[in-house]
C-alpha cells in the first residue's frame, strides 16, 4: 500500500482523535495537541433592543435551514415570511410563531419598515428580481446561490448592490467554511508551490439529492400562486412537478452546473482569490433521471484560469453526476508543484513534497537499464561526481501529511450567516467576501458550462470585466 493511501486509511481510523480540534494536525502527532477551534465569532448586540429583524422570502427546504441558522446568531428575530404555497405559510406560523406576518407577495415583506434584512430562498429564476427589489427597498440581502439564472442578469444585481450601500451576501457557504479558509491559508503560504491544476466533483446518488422532492398529498392547485411563480419564465398551465421540483427544469433552475458547480467554484475562488476562467467547455447528458426533467443530470466541464498577479495559469476540471451508483461525495483537489491539497466538505489533507535539486534518474525504471552495464556504471560514476549525495537532494522527499478536520457538528452555514450579520452590525458591507461581484464571477462559469454543453462549443468569458466574449 503506498504511503498516501496508508495515511488516509489511518486518518479514517483516527477521526475521533481529529474530531473536535478544528485545527491543523500533523498526521503523525494527531491527537497529541488540541489547539482551540477557529470559527467565526458573532458580534454581540449592543443592547436588548439591538435586534436585526428578518424577512424570509421562500419558506421551502433551504428557507427553513437558513432562517433557523440565522436565528442562532445573537440578536436576530423573524417578523415576516413570504411564500407561494399556502401550506408553507401555515407551517411558517407553526414553526416561527403565530404572530408572524405572512403573505404570498414578497413585496409586502419589503414594504415593512420593521424588516432589516431578507433571506431570499426562492427558485433561481427569481433571485435577481427579488434581490434588486430588496436592495432598492433598503434591506440587507442574503440571496441563495446561484445569484442569477442567466449571465446577463448579473450586472443589474451588482449595480443595485453598489447603489444601496447595504450588505449583500450570496448563500454559498463555501466562502466561510473553515476547511476552505484553512486551505486558503496553506495555499497562500505557498505550501503546495505553484498551482498547476484543480479537479473538483460533487456526486449524488439518492432521489433527494437528485431533486425528486416530496410532493404534497391531495394537492389543491388553488393553494399555489402559479402565475407569480412563473415570473419571467414562459407561461404554461399549472404543473405540480414544475412547482415542487423546479430544479429539474431549466426555465426555473440552473441545472447541476448552475446549482452545484457554483459551490465548487466559490470554494476555489475563495482559496485562490481567482476571478474566474477565460474559456469554458462542457459536456452534458441526461442519463438516469428520465422523469420528465429537461436539465442534465451529468455535466463535466474543463476551464482555463489565466495567469494573474495572484496565481499562475491553471487548468480546472469539474463534474456533477446525479446518476452514478458510485457513491455521493464532494471533492476539490489542488495540485501544485510542491504538493497537493485534497478538500472534502469539512476537512482536508495536504501532502507536500520536496523537489530534488539534482536531475532524477531511476535504476529500476528508466532508459538507464536498457544500456550495457559498462555504460550504466559510467553514467552513475559521472552523476555521483557531478551531484554528490551529501550536497544534493537527488530524490523527491514526501513530507508527513497534514490534516484538517472541523469539529463534530460544525456548520459552515452558521459561519456564513455570522459573516452576514457581522457585516450588518458593523455597518460594513465589505466584511462580506461573497458579494454581488463574487456571486456573478462564481455563477457565470457555471452557467457558461450549461451553455457550452447545449451549444456544443467553447464559451469565452472575461472574468475581470465580467462579460461573455463573442467568438468570431
Ligand atoms: N446553499 C445551499 O447549500 C443551498 C442548498 C439548497 C438550496 N439552495 C438554494 O436555495 C434556493 C431554494 O431552494 P430550495 O431547495 O429551498 O427550494 P424549495 O422548492 O424547497 O423552496 C422554494 C420556496 O420558494 C417559494 N417561492 C417560489 N417563488 C417564490 C416567490 N416569487 N416569492 C416567494 N416565494 C416563492 C416556493 O413556494 C417554495 O416554498 C435555490 O436557489 C437553491 O439553489 C442552496
Amino acid at each position: 500500500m503506498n504511503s498516501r493511501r496508508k495515511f488516509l486509511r489511518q486518518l479514517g481510523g483516527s477521526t475521533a482523535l481529529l474530531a473536535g480540534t478544528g485545527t491543523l494536525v500533523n498526521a503523525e502527532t494527531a491527537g497529541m495537541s488540541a489547539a482551540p477551534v477557529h470559527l467565526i465569532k458573532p458580534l454581540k448586540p449592543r443592547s436588548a433592543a439591538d435586534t436585526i429583524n428578518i424577512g424570509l422570502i421562500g419558506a421551502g427546504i433551504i428557507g427553513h435551514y437558513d432562517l433557523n441558522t440565522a436565528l442562532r446568531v445573537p440578536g436576530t428575530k423573524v417578523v415576516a415570511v413570504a411564500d407561494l404555497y399556502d401550506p408553507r405559510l401555515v407551517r411558517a406560523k407553526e414553526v416561527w410563531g403565530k404572530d408572524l406576518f405572512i403573505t404570498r407577495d414578497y413585496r409586502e415583506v419589503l414594504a415593512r419598515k420593521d424588516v432589516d434584512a431578507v433571506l431570499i430562498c426562492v427558485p433561481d429564476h427569481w433571485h435577481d428580481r427579488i434581490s434588486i427589489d430588496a436592495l432598492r427597498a433598503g434591506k440587507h440581502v442574503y440571496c441563495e446561490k446561484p445569484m442569477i439564472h442567466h449571465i446577463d442578469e448579473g450586472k443589474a444585481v451588482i449595480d443595485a448592490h453598489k447603489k444601496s450601500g447595504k450588505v449583500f451576501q450570496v448563500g454559498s457557504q463555501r466562502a466561510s467554511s473553515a476547511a476552505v479558509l484553512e486551505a486558503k491559508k496553506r495555499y497562500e503560504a505557498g505550501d503546495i508551490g505553484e498551482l498547476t491544476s484543480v479537479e473538483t466533483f460533487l456526486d449524488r446518488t439518492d432521489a433527494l439529492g437528485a431533486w425528486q422532492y416530496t410532493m404534497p398529498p391531495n394537492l389543491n392547485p388553488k393553494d399555489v400562486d402559479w402565475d407569480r411563480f412563473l415570473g419571467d419564465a414562459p407561461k404554461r398551465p399549472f404543473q405540480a412537478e414544475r412547482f415542487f421540483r423546479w430544479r429539474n427544469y431549466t426555465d426555473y433552475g440552473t441545472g447541476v452546473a448552475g446549482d452545484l458547480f457554483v459551490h465548487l467554484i466559490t470554494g476555489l475562488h475563495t482559496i485562490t482569490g481567482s476571478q474566474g476562467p477565460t474559456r469554458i467547455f462542457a459536456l452534458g447528458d441526461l442519463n438516469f433521471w428520465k422523469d420528465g426533467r429537461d436539465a442534465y443530470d451529468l455535466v463535466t466541464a474543463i476551464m482555463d484560469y489565466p495567469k494573474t498577479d495572484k496565481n499562475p495559469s491553471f487548468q480546472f476540471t469539474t463534474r456533477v453526476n446525479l446518476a452514478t451508483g458510485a457513491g455521493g461525495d464532494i471533492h476539490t483537489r489542488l495540485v501544485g508543484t510542491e504538493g497537493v491539497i485534497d478538500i472534502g466538505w469539512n476537512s482536508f489533507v495536504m501532502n507536500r513534497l520536496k523537489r530534488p535539486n539534482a536531475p532524477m534518474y531511476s535504476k529500476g525504471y528508466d532508459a538507464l537499464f536498457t544500456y550495457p552495464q559498462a555504460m550504466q556504471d559510467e553514467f552513475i560514476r559521472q552523476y555521483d561526481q557531478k551531484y554528490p549525495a551529501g550536497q544534493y537532494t537527488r530524490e523527491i522527499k514526501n513530507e508527513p501529511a497534514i490534516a484538517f478536520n472541523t469539529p463534530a457538528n460544525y456548520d459552515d452555514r452558521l459561519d456564513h450567516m455570522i459573516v452576514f450579520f457581522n457585516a450588518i452590525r458593523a455597518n460594513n458591507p465589505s466584511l462580506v467576501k461573497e458579494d454581488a461581484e463574487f456571486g456573478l464571477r462564481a455563477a457565470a462559469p457555471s452557467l457558461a458550462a450549461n451553455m457550452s454543453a447545449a451549444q456544443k462549443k467553447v464559451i469565452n468569458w472575461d472574468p475581470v470585466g465580467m462579460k461573455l466574449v463573442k467568438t468570431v
Side-chain angles (χ1 to χ4, degrees):
M1 191 185 304
N2 72 29
S3 58
R4 191 183 126 67
R5 275 177 46 213
K6 194 165 149 202
F7 165 65
L8 287 172
R9 252 180 61 149
Q10 284 166 350
L11 185 68
S14 65
T15 346
L17 290 176
L18 292 170
T21 61
T23 186
L24 279 173
V25 185
N26 182 313
E28 291 182 350
T29 58
M32 288 172 66
S33 66
V37 175
H38 295 286
L39 299 174
I40 296 161
K41 286 208 163 52
L43 288 179
K44 283 200 184 113
R46 283 170 286 266
S47 67
D50 181 13
T51 302
I52 300 170
N53 285 339
I54 302 169
L56 171 67
I57 301 176
I61 302 171
I62 217 64
H64 278 257
Y65 275 99
D66 280 355
L67 180 54
N68 288 332
T69 305
L71 293 174
R72 290 168 65 190
V73 179
T76 58
K77 187 180 158 199
V78 58
V79 294
V81 172
D83 200 278
L84 301 185
Y85 180 51
D86 294 343
R88 285 208 161 126
L89 293 173
V90 173
R91 180 65 180 157
K93 284 200 172 219
E94 282 175 6
V95 176
W96 297 300
K98 59 180 175 26
D99 295 336
L100 203 64
F101 172 79
I102 53 169
T103 174
R104 282 181 167 192
D105 186 349
Y106 73 88
R107 290 169 302 183
E108 290 185 358
V109 172
L110 300 184
R112 287 180 70 98
K113 291 216 166 37
D114 62 347
V115 170
D116 304 305
V118 289
L119 309 178
I120 301 177
C121 302
V122 296
D124 304 350
H125 69 304
W126 268 105
H127 287 184
D128 64 323
R129 180 71 269 147
I130 300 180
S131 292
I132 291 168
D133 288 348
L135 290 164
R136 284 187 184 151
K139 310 300 180 194
H140 303 291
V141 172
Y142 183 101
C143 175
E144 265 305 341
K145 43 54 58 174
M147 187 180 87
I148 44 166
H149 188 222
H150 298 114
I151 291 177
D152 60 7
E153 297 160 358
K155 279 281 167 62
V157 180
I158 293 171
D159 288 349
H161 177 218
K162 280 189 181 146
K163 273 193 200 130
S164 72
K166 294 288 161 185
V167 174
F168 179 89
Q169 181 168 274
V170 181
S172 176
Q173 59 274 37
R174 297 304 277 161
S176 304
S177 165
V180 169
L181 296 179
E182 202 61 49
K184 175 181 177 65
K185 282 190 207 155
R186 311 313 302 178
Y187 175 73
E188 286 177 347
D191 284 3
I192 59 164
E194 295 259 294
L195 191 62
T196 58
S197 68
V198 179
E199 299 155 26
T200 66
F201 68 81
L202 198 167
D203 291 340
R204 291 174 167 180
T205 52
D206 60 344
L208 183 65
W211 308 332
Q212 281 270 9
Y213 295 139
T214 312
M215 308 233 293
N218 310 321
L219 173 69
N220 181 354
K222 287 202 179 114
D223 287 341
V224 177
D225 193 336
W226 174 248
D227 285 342
R228 201 191 296 272
F229 168 80
L230 287 177
D232 60 5
K235 301 285 166 238
R236 58 164 61 235
F238 176 66
Q239 196 184 331
E241 285 81 5
R242 285 183 169 258
F243 184 78
F244 291 100
R245 296 176 177 170
W246 56 267
R247 275 180 151 106
N248 298 331
Y249 304 92
T250 53
D251 283 343
Y252 330 109
T254 48
V256 293
D259 202 290
L260 297 170
F261 282 2
V262 88
H263 280 306
L264 301 165
I265 292 177
T266 294
L268 171 66
H269 289 188
T270 299
I271 293 169
T272 60
S274 300
Q275 295 193 313
T278 49
R279 285 185 302 165
I280 297 113
F281 182 73
L283 302 175
D285 283 298
L286 182 48
N287 293 318
F288 191 84
W289 293 102
K290 299 192 176 170
D291 52 5
R293 70 180 66 193
D294 61 25
Y296 304 123
D297 58 13
L298 167 61
V299 180
T300 306
I302 55 175
M303 309 187 187
D304 62 359
Y305 275 73
K307 180 175 163 27
T308 61
D309 51 359
K310 284 204 173 101
N311 299 297
S313 62
F314 62 92
Q315 295 184 8
F316 176 66
T317 58
T318 185
R319 177 193 80 225
V320 168
N321 194 351
L322 303 184
T324 176
D329 204 355
I330 175 170
H331 199 90
T332 293
R333 164 171 260 225
L334 291 112
V335 181
T337 49
E338 321 230 328
V340 174
I341 307 180
D342 282 295
I343 310 167
W345 193 269
N346 277 327
S347 61
F348 70 76
V349 177
M350 180 169 69
N351 283 276
R352 300 180 63 200
L353 52 87
K354 271 221 167 62
R355 284 202 291 180
N357 56 3
M360 287 182 290
Y361 78 93
S362 144
K363 288 178 196 164
Y365 186 77
D366 191 344
L368 187 63
F369 80 98
T370 64
Y371 301 152
Q373 191 58 51
M375 213 182 262
Q376 291 189 31
D377 294 346
E378 179 56 16
F379 174 89
I380 291 167
R381 192 192 63 73
Q382 285 186 26
Y383 183 92
D384 285 345
Q385 198 176 30
K386 201 166 172 191
Y387 308 109
Q391 291 171 31
Y392 284 86
T393 330
R394 308 188 323 175
E395 275 166 14
I396 292 175
K397 280 214 168 70
N398 290 317
E399 298 195 347
I402 295 204
F404 174 87
N405 262 24
T406 50
N409 300 326
Y410 172 73
D411 183 359
D412 52 5
R413 197 183 300 282
L414 178 57
D415 263 351
H416 203 43
M417 238 5 129
I418 289 169
V419 170
F420 176 64
F421 287 106
N422 279 357
I424 297 174
R425 277 232 145 75
N427 195 18
N428 184 358
S430 72
L431 291 182
V432 163
K433 299 295 168 241
E434 197 185 1
D435 62 7
E437 290 197 351
F438 189 116
L440 176 56
R441 288 190 168 113
S446 313
L447 299 171
N450 278 334
M451 291 164 63
S452 170
Q455 297 169 24
K456 298 188 175 17
K457 64 176 201 187
V458 172
I459 304 295
N460 294 291
W461 168 248
D462 169 3
V464 181
M466 293 178 282
K467 51 180 188 289
L468 288 166
V469 178
K470 282 218 167 66
T471 28
V472 269

